[in-house]
């Protein structure tokens, strides 16, 4: 696993994957940063704890085809900005950090982190 890797599942697993799956991003401390659909809204977990949340559904890793420096910047942005997320909602307002969802947060990590 490397900083900036996107980790997730395409399977619906219940409480935090409302539509088609769930993703998080690996930060510089090798923790997974993600936005979830429950009261705490954000989650920081070890890679093994992230995988365990999906009840034996397949979890995969995607490494974007960009430099390791860009991946590091994205992972660092995720770690530094997760606390700005205040609510979970599917919205197309990609510039808003406070209202967020899992894949939008990963997208923002790459856009704003670079």
């Amino acid at each position: 696993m490397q900083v900036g890797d996107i980790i997730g599942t395409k399977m619906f697993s219940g409480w935090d994957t409302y539509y088609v799956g769930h993703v998080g991003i690996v930060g510089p401390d090798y923790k997974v940063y993600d936005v979830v659909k429950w009261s705490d809204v954000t989650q920081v977990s070890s890679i093994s704890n992230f995988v365990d949340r999906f009840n034996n559904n397949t979890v995969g890793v995607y490494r974007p085809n960009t430099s390791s420096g860009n991946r590091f910047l994205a992972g660092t942005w995720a770690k530094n900005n997760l606390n700005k997320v205040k609510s979970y909602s599917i919205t197309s307002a990609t510039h808003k950090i406070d209202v967020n969802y899992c894949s939008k947060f990963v997208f923002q990590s790459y856009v704003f982190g670079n």
Side-chain angles (χ1 to χ4, degrees):
M1 198 72 60
Q2 294 181 10
V3 177
D5 282 352
I6 300 167
I7 182 171
T9 179
K10 64 180 181 174
M11 305 277 299
F12 175 80
S13 67
W15 37 268
D16 70 339
T17 60
Y18 189 74
Y19 290 106
V20 295
H22 185 73
V23 293
I25 185 168
V26 177
D29 52 1
Y30 296 94
K31 303 262 186 206
V32 179
Y33 293 84
D34 58 318
V35 177
V36 294
K37 187 179 171 42
W38 64 76
S39 61
D40 291 338
V41 184
T42 61
Q43 183 87 25
V44 179
S45 36
S46 69
I47 293 166
S48 61
N49 285 345
F50 181 89
V51 171
D52 288 346
R53 286 192 345 223
F54 295 98
N55 304 320
N56 298 318
N57 286 329
T58 301
V59 173
V61 176
Y62 175 75
R63 181 165 297 139
N65 187 16
T66 186
S67 73
S68 61
N70 286 343
R71 289 190 303 269
F72 186 84
L73 290 171
T76 300
W77 186 93
K79 179 181 180 189
N80 293 339
N81 289 278
L82 188 68
N83 64 336
K84 294 179 182 175
V85 178
K86 302 302 177 198
S87 65
Y88 180 100
S89 182
I90 304 295
T91 172
S92 62
T94 56
H95 64 285
K96 292 188 74 165
I97 298 170
D98 61 329
V99 178
N100 226 311
Y101 58 96
C102 64
S103 56
K104 178 181 157 189
F105 186 74
V106 170
F107 167 81
Q108 289 173 325
S109 297
Y110 271 91
V111 171
F112 299 145
N114 288 289

